[in-house]
Amino acid sequence: MEKNNTALTGGLLVFVLPVVFSALANFDNSNVVNSLTLLSCIFLAYLCVRKFGSILMCRIFVKLMCVSAAMSLILYLATNLLRLNLPFPVLEKVNGIHYKTIFIVSQYAETYIDGSKSMGFFWESGIFASYLLLAIAIEFMVEEKASIRRLALLVIALFTTGSTAGYLILPIALTIGLLKSGGRGRVAISVGIVIVVLWIFANYSAIQDALVQINPTLFWKLGDADAVTKLTRLQSPSVCWDLFSVNPIFGLGYGDALEAYSTVAASSATIDSLTTTSFFQLAAFGISGFAMWGITIYALTGTGRLPLSSGIMLVLLFVIIINKEPHTASVMTYILLFSFLSFTGKTSEKALNLHYGGTYA
């Protein structure tokens, strides 16, 4: 199998060295402990891709998301249509919230939180929606002919998450497949997409009002200027940029940056959490965070499994996802990034299929 091990190793260095240098420059217990945890996540992801291969890891990811999607749909129907209160074990996660869970699927046990939305095995529905979208994109990327059954399952599960952002981003994920299979019509499709995007920007206010009128429960955050979720995502990058400006060379260190952001959030009525990954990398690791941006974009656009037009849409999808919630220490996200890096350059489709026995059902 052809595999870009050089890109894999380069990616590892780009993600590891900033963490190490920042921890040494800002040497304290918080930075060391948190940095070691982050480095463990990065190395685990790298070793998985290096050992088992990018194609297999991507296929495992899609299968895992499909299983979680199927179980989530069953739980969604049982909870919302049959009104069953299933006797799942209740566990408290690190965020202090209690969940009813059988690990592959969970729901809130707290009575003050809406438990009707699907969240898979994640801690909230928005994260689940993000990985469902990535699974859709990867299905198009990895398979010569994407499975309609898997795509339908993932899309249906997405609609049970109640994620406004997930619904709005779905067309981008589907466009990746459209552009990949577009053949000579890719240029026309790309031009059409650009026209549609420009039209949306030009008519954003009218579209926003229309969506709120169609479904106020789902799209209220778009029209409510005071919605904390919306304001958090808008302000999170600027808070991280301010933290980056304190020490632009090495950053504050991973642990101290987390604590500094939490201090700002605790004193703000419009920020409730960290949502941006890209700008947090700058706050934590300084100017070398830009190298992390660069290797991420290279991994997404340099894949030999997608045409450039699809790669650009993949960049847009991925950047939006990692900046609507934090992915800095997500093993799953790093596995996907290292897999994308392994795809860079000219990858032999025939060699990949021979090595892994062709496409899976």
Side-chain angles (χ1 to χ4, degrees):
M1 180 186 64
E2 295 181 14
K3 181 168 62 175
N4 196 338
N5 287 330
T6 301
L8 269 176
T9 303
L12 178 67
L13 293 175
V14 169
F15 285 118
V16 165
L17 292 180
V19 180
V20 173
F21 290 152
S22 181
L24 293 176
N26 302 277
F27 196 83
D28 60 36
N29 184 66
S30 176
N31 280 330
V32 170
V33 172
N34 283 280
S35 294
L36 288 175
T37 302
L38 177 56
L39 290 172
S40 299
C41 294
I42 296 172
F43 275 107
L44 176 60
Y46 170 80
L47 292 173
C48 285
V49 175
R50 191 66 184 261
K51 174 67 176 178
F52 300 108
S54 51
I55 291 291
L56 182 58
M57 292 309 300
C58 284
R59 287 177 173 169
I60 289 174
F61 169 72
V62 174
K63 282 188 174 182
L64 179 63
M65 292 308 302
C66 284
V67 171
S68 186
M71 294 296 293
S72 294
L73 287 175
I74 294 173
L75 181 60
Y76 182 85
L77 293 174
T79 301
N80 294 283
L81 293 184
L82 302 179
R83 302 296 179 182
L84 298 178
N85 185 14
L86 300 176
F88 289 168
V90 176
L91 297 177
E92 181 180 354
K93 292 193 177 181
V94 293
N95 58 5
I97 297 177
H98 293 83
Y99 295 83
K100 297 169 66 176
T101 181
I102 52 174
F103 299 105
I104 193 64
V105 63
S106 302
Q107 66 179 177
Y108 289 116
E110 311 286 5
T111 56
Y112 64 91
I113 303 177
D114 181 11
S116 64
K117 300 175 183 179
S118 295
M119 64 175 66
F121 53 85
F122 300 93
W123 59 93
E124 60 103 5
S125 58
I127 301 284
F128 186 38
S130 293
Y131 282 110
L132 288 171
L133 289 165
L134 288 173
I136 291 170
I138 290 170
E139 174 69 20
F140 287 126
M141 174 190 288
V142 171
E143 300 308 323
E144 186 175 352
K145 186 177 180 180
S147 168
I148 299 300
R149 289 180 299 172
R150 285 193 294 271
L151 290 174
L153 175 60
L154 294 169
V155 170
I156 293 171
L158 177 68
F159 281 112
T160 66
T161 64
S163 170
T164 304
Y167 298 168
L168 296 177
I169 300 170
L170 177 60
I172 300 176
L174 297 177
T175 299
I176 293 171
L178 181 64
L179 289 171
K180 180 183 178 181
S181 60
R184 295 180 179 179
R186 285 192 199 111
V187 174
I189 294 172
S190 300
V191 171
I193 291 172
V194 170
I195 292 174
V196 171
V197 170
L198 292 176
W199 179 82
I200 291 174
F201 273 107
N203 299 275
Y204 179 76
S205 296
I207 295 172
Q208 175 179 280
D209 294 339
L211 290 174
V212 173
Q213 290 179 2
I214 292 171
N215 193 328
T217 303
L218 178 62
F219 295 109
W220 67 273
K221 288 181 285 188
L222 295 177
D224 187 357
D226 295 326
V228 174
T229 302
K230 177 181 177 181
L231 290 174
T232 294
R233 287 176 177 161
L234 291 174
Q235 296 179 34
S236 190
S238 64
V239 172
C240 288
W241 184 264
D242 290 340
L243 297 178
F244 164 67
S245 64
V246 174
N247 188 349
I249 304 301
F250 293 109
L252 299 179
Y254 185 44
D256 287 354
L258 286 172
E259 293 175 4
Y261 188 95
S262 297
T263 300
V264 173
S267 61
S268 173
T270 57
I271 300 176
D272 65 352
S273 61
L274 174 66
T275 60
T276 175
T277 302
S278 300
F279 283 89
F280 180 75
Q281 288 172 334
L282 299 179
F285 313 122
I287 197 170
S288 58
F290 287 115
M292 295 179 171
W293 292 17
I295 200 69
T296 299
I297 293 173
Y298 171 70
L300 297 169
T301 58
T303 173
R305 306 190 66 85
L306 290 174
L308 180 59
S309 54
S310 290
I312 292 173
M313 298 307 293
L314 182 61
V315 170
L316 182 60
L317 173 71
F318 196 85
V319 169
I320 292 174
I321 285 175
I322 67 172
N323 287 290
K324 77 182 188 70
E325 64 248 340
H327 288 251
T328 308
S330 170
V331 174
M332 194 174 292
T333 300
Y334 282 113
I335 286 176
L336 297 181
L337 275 174
F338 284 125
S339 295
F340 297 155
L341 279 170
S342 183
F343 293 146
T344 56
K346 295 182 178 180
T347 306
S348 169
E349 182 79 23
K350 182 178 180 181
L352 289 168
N353 285 332
L354 283 174
H355 185 82
Y356 288 105
T359 57
Y360 64 111

